[in-house]
Amino acid sequence: MAELEAEATCLRSYESLFLPGLFQVEGYTRAIFEASDAVSTHEEIEASVRFRSRRQRVLTDDRPPQVHAVIHEAALHMRFGGTDIMRQQLLRLVELAELPHVTIQIMPFTAVAVSALTTPFCHLASHNGALETVLMEHPARSAFLHSDDDMAKYRRQFARLSDAALPAIDATIIPVKHASQDSLGLVQHILYTLQGAST
């Protein structure tokens, strides 16, 4: 995955229960690995956290990929690492959305059901779109898809997911001019809920 991300010129991902690895703060990543069977010792967990943190450098490289993520609201409520870590994580989402090459949309619980809603995937394109791969990660084994038919299918699925999701996080819009419900508004609402839970 890291090699694909490093070569990608465009990256589109849909996540239903976790935030994309490229967006995760260390505490969130650590909590995921601590709850996973993939690694067991403290040393393995810390090595995995460091590796994921290094992967995130692709977002700040001189020529970063265009990144577009659709994240289900459920992932924002999963408290990996506890309330304080989740507050850091949601603030990190807003911070990353300020980058000109990063687009983050939230799929609310109220969205009309669309195809592939429960199947997370990452669609990566490199060499200006000439090479494409879809990655579907599973606990036992990840699947890599490369056929033209699969690429067309997942491009359509991502377009439907994006259309069904809330407008992208845009921290440059002043609060009173936000739509009645957009991705930033939903993130801020959950942050407010977390603030209440920590007091």
Side-chain angles (χ1 to χ4, degrees):
M1 180 63 175
E3 184 177 349
L4 290 172
E5 289 170 345
E7 297 295 328
T9 54
C10 180
L11 189 157
R12 304 179 186 92
S13 71
Y14 169 69
E15 289 287 350
S16 57
L17 292 177
F18 302 97
L19 298 177
L22 290 180
F23 299 165
Q24 294 174 9
V25 298
E26 286 192 6
Y28 181 94
T29 301
R30 184 174 291 105
I32 289 175
F33 282 120
E34 288 174 347
S36 169
D37 292 330
V39 291
S40 55
T41 69
H42 174 76
E43 290 74 17
E44 289 175 332
I45 290 170
E46 291 306 311
S48 298
V49 171
R50 289 193 299 272
F51 180 69
R52 183 159 294 181
S53 295
R54 288 197 299 271
R55 281 171 49 190
Q56 296 173 358
R57 295 175 188 169
V58 71
L59 294 177
T60 53
D61 281 348
D62 292 338
R63 300 178 65 182
Q66 293 293 319
V67 178
H68 187 172
V70 175
I71 304 168
H72 198 279
E73 181 181 350
L76 307 187
H77 291 277
M78 299 289 287
R79 298 189 183 182
F80 291 105
T83 300
D84 289 343
I85 294 296
M86 283 308 301
R87 287 189 73 255
Q88 294 175 29
Q89 182 60 78
L90 296 184
L91 290 170
R92 176 66 172 161
L93 279 187
V94 176
E95 177 185 325
L96 289 172
E98 295 177 356
L99 297 173
H101 53 282
V102 174
T103 300
I104 300 173
Q105 291 180 269
I106 307 301
M107 176 77 70
F109 287 126
T110 55
V112 176
V114 293
S115 176
L117 197 59
T118 58
T119 308
F121 65 90
C122 186
H123 174 218
L124 304 101
S126 60
H127 298 82
N128 293 318
L131 300 176
E132 295 181 79
T133 300
V134 166
L135 169 64
M136 302 179 72
E137 293 191 87
H138 300 283
R141 182 177 62 183
S142 296
F144 294 87
L145 308 177
H146 303 283
S147 74
D148 291 343
D149 287 346
D150 284 329
M151 296 308 100
K153 171 185 174 182
Y154 281 94
R155 282 195 296 270
R156 290 193 302 269
Q157 287 186 347
F158 189 82
R160 286 195 290 266
L161 289 163
S162 180
D163 288 344
L166 296 172
I169 293 175
D170 185 353
T172 66
I173 301 176
I174 59 176
V176 295
K177 292 190 176 181
H178 274 287
S180 57
Q181 189 176 31
D182 58 15
S183 292
L184 180 58
L186 181 52
V187 170
Q188 289 175 329
H189 172 73
I190 297 171
L191 277 167
Y192 180 79
T193 303
L194 290 171
Q195 179 64 31
S198 63
T199 57

